[in-house]
Amino acid sequence: MRASSSTVHPVRDRRHTLYFLEYAARQRPVFLDTDVDMGAVHAHRAAAERRYSTVTYVLHAAGRTLHRHPEANAALAPRRLRAPRTVRFPSVTAKLALDAKSLSGERVVLSALIPDLETASLDTIQDQIDRYRSPDVAALPEFRGVRALVRLPVWLGRAAFAHAVRGARRRAAVLGTVSVSSLGHRPVDGFHSTGGTAVTFTCGRTTPRPVVREDGSIEAAPVMRLGLAFDHRVLDGAAAADVLGELTYTLEHGSWEAPSDAPPHLAPVTTLRSPSPSPARAPHRPAG
């Protein structure tokens, strides 16, 4: 039986993604992950007057965490003839990956920026996410540059993207200072990706799992796999583990009512991960 002939589909609407991946290939990513007990988040969602998405809580907690860890809210500024340096940003801007339809109907990923994450309230974050979830998201003015980029000839589009992210300080206005991506709406427990920033957080689905509490009891709890990818050129593993540990602690114990308040004084991260000695583990462990 003769096989059907292959068809060729030119890449057009996804060109901005290909240009980004060429840039991101320069990073030296290392991947960490942990399990987060989302019981406190679920309890707050159930009592809230409006619906907050899981990623809203992750963004809220990530903004506070990165603000307390300026070494992770940074970018590498390589210099050919002099020693490289890092640029630390005064504010946390999240780059949120969106699954969207382009103007021509092809499925694409768009990246929306959410600024001032260190002080933004849950309502402010959710308002922006709701706006980006509109059916005509690709037509929003924020994505005018992407629409222009995919219409350019490849050689010119690649040059335009490289120019836009050339300087570390300018890069924050294009790629943000931290990336967040979620596949929690799909049957995906966990995944890893790099968003072109020093730190990228990834969220899998939240599902009931048996967990062992500190008193030895076992019970079902909503657990989410939280991943962290960090650029090893910008920070080291111990610092990244501290960031992941503090974000986990904030999601499990943080206050969502005071948008600008830091959580209570945090003991060294290693003491928060009982019974596991790893600094990147949540204060419980799956029983299965």
Side-chain angles (χ1 to χ4, degrees):
M1 182 175 178
R2 185 177 180 180
S4 59
S5 60
S6 302
T7 59
V8 177
H9 296 269
V11 176
R12 182 177 179 87
D13 289 356
R14 295 185 63 252
R15 285 180 184 175
H16 66 289
T17 299
L18 300 184
Y19 302 149
F20 162 75
L21 291 174
E22 291 172 356
Y23 160 78
R26 305 170 188 171
Q27 291 190 308
R28 297 297 182 265
V30 178
F31 304 99
L32 310 175
D33 62 69
T34 191
D35 292 321
V36 183
D37 184 342
M38 299 293 283
V41 169
H42 280 206
H44 187 272
R45 291 182 70 187
E49 296 182 356
R50 68 177 296 185
R51 182 186 180 278
Y52 299 113
S53 65
T54 297
V55 74
T56 297
Y57 290 92
V58 174
L59 287 166
H60 186 281
R64 276 66 178 172
T65 299
L66 268 293
H67 190 62
R68 294 191 292 271
H69 290 269
E71 72 280 4
N73 192 49
L76 183 69
R79 299 184 292 178
R80 291 185 178 181
L81 301 179
R82 291 181 289 176
R85 60 185 180 184
T86 58
V87 175
R88 296 184 178 184
F89 302 104
S91 181
V92 182
T93 300
K95 186 189 79 168
L96 179 63
L98 303 170
D99 180 16
K101 294 284 188 180
S102 72
L103 293 177
S104 62
E106 184 177 355
R107 193 172 186 175
V108 298
V109 174
L110 297 175
S111 297
L113 297 184
I114 302 179
D116 303 321
L117 209 59
E118 69 278 7
T119 57
S121 66
L122 287 176
D123 285 328
T124 298
I125 298 171
Q126 189 63 53
D127 287 344
Q128 295 183 71
I129 290 177
D130 289 343
R131 182 170 182 270
Y132 290 130
R133 283 176 173 168
S134 64
D136 58 345
V137 59
L140 291 177
E142 291 93 322
F143 304 113
R144 185 182 297 111
V146 173
R147 296 194 297 269
L149 194 64
V150 299
R151 290 194 297 264
L152 293 175
V154 172
W155 68 270
L156 186 56
R158 180 177 286 114
F161 184 88
H163 177 75
V165 298
R166 182 176 58 182
R169 291 182 175 86
R170 294 173 55 190
R171 210 174 302 156
V174 178
L175 301 177
T177 66
V178 60
S179 301
V180 177
S181 183
S182 174
L183 288 175
H185 57 295
R186 294 287 189 266
V188 175
D189 290 326
F191 68 103
H192 294 288
S193 70
T194 57
T197 50
V199 169
T200 300
F201 296 113
T202 55
C203 309
R205 65 177 175 174
T206 300
T207 186
R209 295 178 186 172
V211 299
V212 179
R213 298 301 185 189
E214 293 183 353
D215 62 0
S217 63
I218 299 177
E219 62 181 54
V223 175
M224 181 186 73
R225 180 67 53 79
L226 176 65
L228 182 153
F230 68 95
D231 188 349
H232 212 330
R233 302 175 305 168
V234 179
L235 71 163
D236 292 326
D242 286 349
V243 170
L244 182 60
E246 187 169 324
L247 178 58
T248 300
Y249 183 87
T250 303
L251 287 170
E252 294 182 339
H253 304 93
S255 170
W256 311 106
E257 305 304 327
S260 61
D261 291 346
H265 173 71
L266 295 175
V269 176
T270 52
T271 68
L272 299 176
R273 299 295 162 250
S274 175
S276 170
S278 170
R281 296 298 300 174
H284 66 265
R285 50 184 178 158

PDB file of all heavy atoms in Angstrom, residues 56-80:
ATOM      1  N   THR A  56      -3.153  32.523  39.609  1.00  0.00           N
ATOM      2  CA  THR A  56      -3.182  33.824  40.273  1.00  0.00           C
ATOM      3  C   THR A  56      -2.474  33.750  41.617  1.00  0.00           C
ATOM      4  O   THR A  56      -1.698  34.648  41.987  1.00  0.00           O
ATOM      5  CB  THR A  56      -4.632  34.295  40.461  1.00  0.00           C
ATOM      6  OG1 THR A  56      -5.229  34.478  39.173  1.00  0.00           O
ATOM      7  CG2 THR A  56      -4.699  35.604  41.231  1.00  0.00           C
ATOM      8  N   TYR A  57      -2.724  32.698  42.371  1.00  0.00           N
ATOM      9  CA  TYR A  57      -2.048  32.521  43.654  1.00  0.00           C
ATOM     10  C   TYR A  57      -0.545  32.310  43.452  1.00  0.00           C
ATOM     11  O   TYR A  57       0.268  32.822  44.238  1.00  0.00           O
ATOM     12  CB  TYR A  57      -2.645  31.332  44.406  1.00  0.00           C
ATOM     13  CG  TYR A  57      -4.035  31.565  44.923  1.00  0.00           C
ATOM     14  CD1 TYR A  57      -5.149  31.223  44.168  1.00  0.00           C
ATOM     15  CD2 TYR A  57      -4.246  32.140  46.174  1.00  0.00           C
ATOM     16  CE1 TYR A  57      -6.438  31.440  44.641  1.00  0.00           C
ATOM     17  CE2 TYR A  57      -5.531  32.357  46.666  1.00  0.00           C
ATOM     18  CZ  TYR A  57      -6.622  32.011  45.897  1.00  0.00           C
ATOM     19  OH  TYR A  57      -7.893  32.229  46.366  1.00  0.00           O
ATOM     20  N   VAL A  58      -0.177  31.553  42.423  1.00  0.00           N
ATOM     21  CA  VAL A  58       1.242  31.324  42.160  1.00  0.00           C
ATOM     22  C   VAL A  58       1.929  32.631  41.796  1.00  0.00           C
ATOM     23  O   VAL A  58       3.030  32.935  42.282  1.00  0.00           O
ATOM     24  CB  VAL A  58       1.418  30.275  41.050  1.00  0.00           C
ATOM     25  CG1 VAL A  58       2.891  30.131  40.672  1.00  0.00           C
ATOM     26  CG2 VAL A  58       0.854  28.927  41.491  1.00  0.00           C
ATOM     27  N   LEU A  59       1.294  33.445  40.965  1.00  0.00           N
ATOM     28  CA  LEU A  59       1.867  34.738  40.598  1.00  0.00           C
ATOM     29  C   LEU A  59       1.989  35.649  41.819  1.00  0.00           C
ATOM     30  O   LEU A  59       3.007  36.328  42.004  1.00  0.00           O
ATOM     31  CB  LEU A  59       0.995  35.403  39.533  1.00  0.00           C
ATOM     32  CG  LEU A  59       1.070  34.803  38.125  1.00  0.00           C
ATOM     33  CD1 LEU A  59      -0.076  35.324  37.269  1.00  0.00           C
ATOM     34  CD2 LEU A  59       2.404  35.121  37.475  1.00  0.00           C
ATOM     35  N   HIS A  60       0.960  35.683  42.644  1.00  0.00           N
ATOM     36  CA  HIS A  60       0.973  36.507  43.851  1.00  0.00           C
ATOM     37  C   HIS A  60       2.144  36.119  44.754  1.00  0.00           C
ATOM     38  O   HIS A  60       2.914  36.974  45.220  1.00  0.00           O
ATOM     39  CB  HIS A  60      -0.360  36.334  44.583  1.00  0.00           C
ATOM     40  CG  HIS A  60      -0.556  37.226  45.768  1.00  0.00           C
ATOM     41  ND1 HIS A  60       0.025  36.965  46.994  1.00  0.00           N
ATOM     42  CD2 HIS A  60      -1.281  38.351  45.942  1.00  0.00           C
ATOM     43  CE1 HIS A  60      -0.329  37.898  47.854  1.00  0.00           C
ATOM     44  NE2 HIS A  60      -1.128  38.754  47.244  1.00  0.00           N
ATOM     45  N   ALA A  61       2.283  34.823  44.999  1.00  0.00           N
ATOM     46  CA  ALA A  61       3.353  34.340  45.869  1.00  0.00           C
ATOM     47  C   ALA A  61       4.722  34.517  45.212  1.00  0.00           C
ATOM     48  O   ALA A  61       5.708  34.840  45.883  1.00  0.00           O
ATOM     49  CB  ALA A  61       3.117  32.871  46.219  1.00  0.00           C
ATOM     50  N   ALA A  62       4.798  34.328  43.897  1.00  0.00           N
ATOM     51  CA  ALA A  62       6.078  34.472  43.198  1.00  0.00           C
ATOM     52  C   ALA A  62       6.575  35.909  43.254  1.00  0.00           C
ATOM     53  O   ALA A  62       7.783  36.150  43.401  1.00  0.00           O
ATOM     54  CB  ALA A  62       5.941  34.018  41.752  1.00  0.00           C
ATOM     55  N   GLY A  63       5.666  36.867  43.145  1.00  0.00           N
ATOM     56  CA  GLY A  63       6.079  38.263  43.220  1.00  0.00           C
ATOM     57  C   GLY A  63       6.712  38.599  44.549  1.00  0.00           C
ATOM     58  O   GLY A  63       7.751  39.275  44.606  1.00  0.00           O
ATOM     59  N   ARG A  64       6.101  38.142  45.641  1.00  0.00           N
ATOM     60  CA  ARG A  64       6.667  38.398  46.975  1.00  0.00           C
ATOM     61  C   ARG A  64       7.996  37.672  47.163  1.00  0.00           C
ATOM     62  O   ARG A  64       8.960  38.213  47.714  1.00  0.00           O
ATOM     63  CB  ARG A  64       5.696  37.951  48.066  1.00  0.00           C
ATOM     64  CG  ARG A  64       4.625  38.966  48.436  1.00  0.00           C
ATOM     65  CD  ARG A  64       3.679  39.226  47.318  1.00  0.00           C
ATOM     66  NE  ARG A  64       2.620  40.168  47.711  1.00  0.00           N
ATOM     67  CZ  ARG A  64       1.755  40.673  46.853  1.00  0.00           C
ATOM     68  NH1 ARG A  64       1.802  40.345  45.574  1.00  0.00           N
ATOM     69  NH2 ARG A  64       0.821  41.511  47.276  1.00  0.00           N
ATOM     70  N   THR A  65       8.053  36.421  46.672  1.00  0.00           N
ATOM     71  CA  THR A  65       9.265  35.627  46.846  1.00  0.00           C
ATOM     72  C   THR A  65      10.436  36.226  46.085  1.00  0.00           C
ATOM     73  O   THR A  65      11.539  36.381  46.629  1.00  0.00           O
ATOM     74  CB  THR A  65       9.013  34.186  46.380  1.00  0.00           C
ATOM     75  OG1 THR A  65       7.961  33.599  47.169  1.00  0.00           O
ATOM     76  CG2 THR A  65      10.269  33.339  46.529  1.00  0.00           C
ATOM     77  N   LEU A  66      10.225  36.580  44.820  1.00  0.00           N
ATOM     78  CA  LEU A  66      11.321  37.147  44.017  1.00  0.00           C
ATOM     79  C   LEU A  66      11.748  38.510  44.536  1.00  0.00           C
ATOM     80  O   LEU A  66      12.927  38.869  44.451  1.00  0.00           O
ATOM     81  CB  LEU A  66      10.885  37.250  42.558  1.00  0.00           C
ATOM     82  CG  LEU A  66      11.208  36.063  41.639  1.00  0.00           C
ATOM     83  CD1 LEU A  66      12.697  35.927  41.451  1.00  0.00           C
ATOM     84  CD2 LEU A  66      10.620  34.764  42.175  1.00  0.00           C
ATOM     85  N   HIS A  67      10.818  39.271  45.104  1.00  0.00           N
ATOM     86  CA  HIS A  67      11.182  40.574  45.664  1.00  0.00           C
ATOM     87  C   HIS A  67      12.115  40.408  46.860  1.00  0.00           C
ATOM     88  O   HIS A  67      12.964  41.262  47.115  1.00  0.00           O
ATOM     89  CB  HIS A  67       9.915  41.326  46.074  1.00  0.00           C
ATOM     90  CG  HIS A  67      10.162  42.759  46.435  1.00  0.00           C
ATOM     91  ND1 HIS A  67      10.673  43.684  45.541  1.00  0.00           N
ATOM     92  CD2 HIS A  67       9.975  43.444  47.606  1.00  0.00           C
ATOM     93  CE1 HIS A  67      10.780  44.855  46.129  1.00  0.00           C
ATOM     94  NE2 HIS A  67      10.384  44.740  47.369  1.00  0.00           N
ATOM     95  N   ARG A  68      11.957  39.300  47.588  1.00  0.00           N
ATOM     96  CA  ARG A  68      12.838  39.030  48.731  1.00  0.00           C
ATOM     97  C   ARG A  68      14.120  38.324  48.308  1.00  0.00           C
ATOM     98  O   ARG A  68      15.016  38.124  49.136  1.00  0.00           O
ATOM     99  CB  ARG A  68      12.084  38.199  49.780  1.00  0.00           C
ATOM    100  CG  ARG A  68      10.932  38.934  50.437  1.00  0.00           C
ATOM    101  CD  ARG A  68      10.398  38.160  51.634  1.00  0.00           C
ATOM    102  NE  ARG A  68       9.745  36.924  51.235  1.00  0.00           N
ATOM    103  CZ  ARG A  68       8.450  36.812  50.935  1.00  0.00           C
ATOM    104  NH1 ARG A  68       7.681  37.892  50.937  1.00  0.00           N
ATOM    105  NH2 ARG A  68       7.919  35.648  50.608  1.00  0.00           N
ATOM    106  N   HIS A  69      14.202  37.931  47.053  1.00  0.00           N
ATOM    107  CA  HIS A  69      15.407  37.280  46.521  1.00  0.00           C
ATOM    108  C   HIS A  69      15.838  38.017  45.252  1.00  0.00           C
ATOM    109  O   HIS A  69      15.690  37.497  44.137  1.00  0.00           O
ATOM    110  CB  HIS A  69      15.130  35.805  46.222  1.00  0.00           C
ATOM    111  CG  HIS A  69      14.940  34.966  47.443  1.00  0.00           C
ATOM    112  ND1 HIS A  69      15.983  34.309  48.075  1.00  0.00           N
ATOM    113  CD2 HIS A  69      13.822  34.695  48.169  1.00  0.00           C
ATOM    114  CE1 HIS A  69      15.512  33.653  49.127  1.00  0.00           C
ATOM    115  NE2 HIS A  69      14.213  33.874  49.203  1.00  0.00           N
ATOM    116  N   PRO A  70      16.376  39.218  45.385  1.00  0.00           N
ATOM    117  CA  PRO A  70      16.739  40.006  44.200  1.00  0.00           C
ATOM    118  C   PRO A  70      17.769  39.327  43.310  1.00  0.00           C
ATOM    119  O   PRO A  70      17.855  39.635  42.120  1.00  0.00           O
ATOM    120  CB  PRO A  70      17.272  41.310  44.791  1.00  0.00           C
ATOM    121  CG  PRO A  70      17.675  40.966  46.200  1.00  0.00           C
ATOM    122  CD  PRO A  70      16.705  39.911  46.646  1.00  0.00           C
ATOM    123  N   GLU A  71      18.547  38.405  43.865  1.00  0.00           N
ATOM    124  CA  GLU A  71      19.538  37.716  43.044  1.00  0.00           C
ATOM    125  C   GLU A  71      18.878  36.835  41.989  1.00  0.00           C
ATOM    126  O   GLU A  71      19.502  36.484  40.977  1.00  0.00           O
ATOM    127  CB  GLU A  71      20.479  36.888  43.919  1.00  0.00           C
ATOM    128  CG  GLU A  71      19.876  35.620  44.533  1.00  0.00           C
ATOM    129  CD  GLU A  71      19.043  35.905  45.774  1.00  0.00           C
ATOM    130  OE1 GLU A  71      18.855  37.087  46.129  1.00  0.00           O
ATOM    131  OE2 GLU A  71      18.588  34.915  46.411  1.00  0.00           O
ATOM    132  N   ALA A  72      17.602  36.452  42.231  1.00  0.00           N
ATOM    133  CA  ALA A  72      16.866  35.636  41.264  1.00  0.00           C
ATOM    134  C   ALA A  72      16.010  36.480  40.339  1.00  0.00           C
ATOM    135  O   ALA A  72      15.597  36.005  39.275  1.00  0.00           O
ATOM    136  CB  ALA A  72      15.984  34.622  41.999  1.00  0.00           C
ATOM    137  N   ASN A  73      15.744  37.713  40.724  1.00  0.00           N
ATOM    138  CA  ASN A  73      14.980  38.642  39.879  1.00  0.00           C
ATOM    139  C   ASN A  73      15.979  39.474  39.080  1.00  0.00           C
ATOM    140  O   ASN A  73      16.093  40.687  39.241  1.00  0.00           O
ATOM    141  CB  ASN A  73      14.097  39.534  40.753  1.00  0.00           C
ATOM    142  CG  ASN A  73      13.073  40.310  39.955  1.00  0.00           C
ATOM    143  OD1 ASN A  73      12.364  39.744  39.122  1.00  0.00           O
ATOM    144  ND2 ASN A  73      12.979  41.598  40.209  1.00  0.00           N
ATOM    145  N   ALA A  74      16.710  38.783  38.216  1.00  0.00           N
ATOM    146  CA  ALA A  74      17.882  39.386  37.575  1.00  0.00           C
ATOM    147  C   ALA A  74      18.053  38.824  36.174  1.00  0.00           C
ATOM    148  O   ALA A  74      17.331  37.917  35.741  1.00  0.00           O
ATOM    149  CB  ALA A  74      19.125  39.118  38.418  1.00  0.00           C
ATOM    150  N   ALA A  75      19.013  39.369  35.467  1.00  0.00           N
ATOM    151  CA  ALA A  75      19.355  38.899  34.124  1.00  0.00           C
ATOM    152  C   ALA A  75      20.854  39.036  33.919  1.00  0.00           C
ATOM    153  O   ALA A  75      21.489  39.921  34.502  1.00  0.00           O
ATOM    154  CB  ALA A  75      18.601  39.689  33.058  1.00  0.00           C
ATOM    155  N   LEU A  76      21.395  38.163  33.100  1.00  0.00           N
ATOM    156  CA  LEU A  76      22.811  38.223  32.773  1.00  0.00           C
ATOM    157  C   LEU A  76      23.048  39.268  31.692  1.00  0.00           C
ATOM    158  O   LEU A  76      22.305  39.350  30.717  1.00  0.00           O
ATOM    159  CB  LEU A  76      23.308  36.859  32.296  1.00  0.00           C
ATOM    160  CG  LEU A  76      24.804  36.755  31.987  1.00  0.00           C
ATOM    161  CD1 LEU A  76      25.621  36.853  33.264  1.00  0.00           C
ATOM    162  CD2 LEU A  76      25.104  35.457  31.250  1.00  0.00           C
ATOM    163  N   ALA A  77      24.078  40.067  31.903  1.00  0.00           N
ATOM    164  CA  ALA A  77      24.475  41.064  30.906  1.00  0.00           C
ATOM    165  C   ALA A  77      25.889  40.738  30.465  1.00  0.00           C
ATOM    166  O   ALA A  77      26.860  41.301  30.990  1.00  0.00           O
ATOM    167  CB  ALA A  77      24.386  42.475  31.491  1.00  0.00           C
ATOM    168  N   PRO A  78      26.062  39.804  29.520  1.00  0.00           N
ATOM    169  CA  PRO A  78      27.413  39.417  29.099  1.00  0.00           C
ATOM    170  C   PRO A  78      28.100  40.538  28.333  1.00  0.00           C
ATOM    171  O   PRO A  78      27.457  41.300  27.597  1.00  0.00           O
ATOM    172  CB  PRO A  78      27.157  38.204  28.202  1.00  0.00           C
ATOM    173  CG  PRO A  78      25.770  38.409  27.683  1.00  0.00           C
ATOM    174  CD  PRO A  78      25.015  39.106  28.779  1.00  0.00           C
ATOM    175  N   ARG A  79      29.369  40.632  28.525  1.00  0.00           N
ATOM    176  CA  ARG A  79      30.183  41.623  27.820  1.00  0.00           C
ATOM    177  C   ARG A  79      31.398  40.910  27.243  1.00  0.00           C
ATOM    178  O   ARG A  79      32.096  40.187  27.958  1.00  0.00           O
ATOM    179  CB  ARG A  79      30.593  42.745  28.772  1.00  0.00           C
ATOM    180  CG  ARG A  79      29.408  43.510  29.347  1.00  0.00           C
ATOM    181  CD  ARG A  79      29.841  44.677  30.201  1.00  0.00           C
ATOM    182  NE  ARG A  79      30.490  44.239  31.426  1.00  0.00           N
ATOM    183  CZ  ARG A  79      30.998  45.070  32.331  1.00  0.00           C
ATOM    184  NH1 ARG A  79      30.951  46.377  32.131  1.00  0.00           N
ATOM    185  NH2 ARG A  79      31.562  44.611  33.424  1.00  0.00           N
ATOM    186  N   ARG A  80      31.659  41.109  25.981  1.00  0.00           N
ATOM    187  CA  ARG A  80      32.671  40.316  25.291  1.00  0.00           C
ATOM    188  C   ARG A  80      34.078  40.551  25.825  1.00  0.00           C
ATOM    189  O   ARG A  80      34.850  39.615  25.995  1.00  0.00           O
ATOM    190  CB  ARG A  80      32.636  40.639  23.795  1.00  0.00           C
ATOM    191  CG  ARG A  80      31.378  40.133  23.100  1.00  0.00           C
ATOM    192  CD  ARG A  80      31.458  40.371  21.606  1.00  0.00           C
ATOM    193  NE  ARG A  80      30.277  39.843  20.915  1.00  0.00           N
ATOM    194  CZ  ARG A  80      30.106  39.900  19.604  1.00  0.00           C
ATOM    195  NH1 ARG A  80      31.034  40.470  18.843  1.00  0.00           N
ATOM    196  NH2 ARG A  80      29.018  39.398  19.058  1.00  0.00           N
TER     197      ARG A  80
END
